[in-house]
Structure formats: C-alpha cells, structure tokens
Amino acid sequence: MILVGRNLSPFVRRSAIVLKTLGLDFESKGLSTADDNDEILKINPVGRVPSLILDDGETVVDSQAIIDHALEVGDPDNQLLAQSGAERRAVLRVSAIAQGAMEKAVASSYERNRRPKEKVYKGWVEKVDAQNASALASLEAMVKAGGDWIHGGHMTLADINAVVAHDFVSIAEPYLVKDDAFPALAALSARCNELPAFAETRWKG
Ligand SMILES: N[C@@H](CCC(=O)N[C@@H](CS)C(=O)NCC(=O)O)C(=O)O
C-alpha cells in the first residue's frame, strides 16, 4: 500500500499512525499540496491528501475512509475503536473534536500563508483560531478527566487524534499552545511521541 501525502498534514499523519499502530505495511509517497498539485489531482480528484493506494490499485480517499479501512482489515478486536455503544460514541466524539481542531488549524494556516499579505482577513483568522482554542480546551479537559488514556485502559483513536491535533497546532499555530496552555494534552503528546508509530511520523521540517 502507498500512503500519499506528507506527515506535516495532520490527516496524513493520523492515517500513518493508525496504519503503523495496527502493523499494516505501507510505503509513503510524500507529495505536497503546495508543490505537487497535478500529481495529487490524478490520485484524488479533489486534489487533497491523504489517499491510500491499495495493493490492487484501488484508491481510498480521505483520512476517515483510510482509517475505516485500516480498522476493518487490521483491528479485529476493536482495540482502537469499540464496535458499538457508548464507548464507541465517546471515542468518536473526541476524534471529531480533534478533527475539528485540525481543520481549523489548516484553515488558519491557509488564510495566513497562502494569500497575498494584503488579502489576509485578520477577523477570520481570529475566528478560526478561537474555534481551535475552544476545541483544544475541550480535549485538554477530556485528557485530564481520563486516566493514562482518554477512554478505557488502552490507547484508542481518541488519543491518536488528540495528539495529532495538538502536534499540528504546535507547528501551524504555535501561539495557541504557548505558555503551557494545554499541559495535560502536551503530556499525552510527549508520552505518545515515544511510541514508534508517533515518533516515525513526527514532522521534522
Ligand atoms: N477531510 C480530509 C481533509 C484533507 C485535507 O484537507 N488535506 C489538506 C492537507 S492538510 C489538503 O490536501 N489541502 C489541499 C487543498 O485543500 O487544496 C481528510 O480527512 O483527509
């Protein structure tokens, strides 16, 4: 399998972490949306990363679908996401809030970095940054309320998504996480980043 996209993207990184955590073998094709638009468009008609090209050539588009596929083939015991019920909903809730933080961080970054300087709308940046800070505060509270892991006694998609969101914001909007603004989340991130799946996908610039 080939995972298309660079681990700078939180959506690529969370896909890579899930694949690695489940021991599913894949190669990375580090295309960038800034520099490799034409090649990415041939793989995903929306021109976004990630995509996962399966061994038979089928292409799975979007990190949600990639993770769904990875869980289907690689997580028969439902370790990362319970099969049903309250535990599943709880993990999906954390994951959705973390995904929202990733999306808001990308939106803020595009507004600040991909527009001509005179066309950057500061009010919009402030709005999406405030949404992002609110999402991170909610994750912080959930990490604090949990034990070693956000839900249950082992790592789930909730932890993976929360850490990927935190780490991406630390790169894209460092001003939102300064002064140890989210200490429990930062501590979870530090602990997870010791694990090979996180360490091997950490963006080093
Ligand atoms: N919902 C998508 C979001 C993917 C996404 O927005 N990726 C960004 C990189 S972080 C991208 O490809 N941006 C290029 C663009 O939208 O033009 C997913 O979960 O995979």
Side-chain angles (χ1 to χ4, degrees), residues 102-158:
M102 297 173 206
E103 288 166 354
K104 292 298 162 186
V106 169
S108 170
S109 164
Y110 284 179
E111 179 71 24
R112 288 177 289 109
N113 303 317
R114 294 214 181 169
R115 282 175 177 270
K117 265 213 157 23
E118 67 282 6
K119 295 201 168 149
V120 173
Y121 177 28
K122 205 165 155 268
W124 179 249
V125 173
E126 285 167 2
K127 178 174 189 299
V128 293
D129 282 349
Q131 287 174 285
N132 199 348
S134 168
L136 291 172
S138 158
L139 294 175
E140 170 76 8
M142 291 190 276
V143 174
K144 253 192 197 145
D148 280 350
W149 304 103
I150 297 176
H151 283 291
H154 62 273
M155 187 176 79
T156 66
L157 277 188

Side-chain angles (χ1 to χ4, degrees), residues 9-11 14 33 47-50 62-63 106 110:
S9 158
F11 306 105
R14 73 177 183 154
T33 55
R48 295 199 301 200
V49 293
D62 198 291
S63 61
V106 169
Y110 284 179

Side-chain angles (χ1 to χ4, degrees), residues 11 43 48 64 66 77 93 107 113 145 197 201:
F11 306 105
I43 300 165
R48 295 199 301 200
Q64 293 269 31
I66 293 170
D77 301 328
R93 180 166 193 277
N113 303 317
T201 58

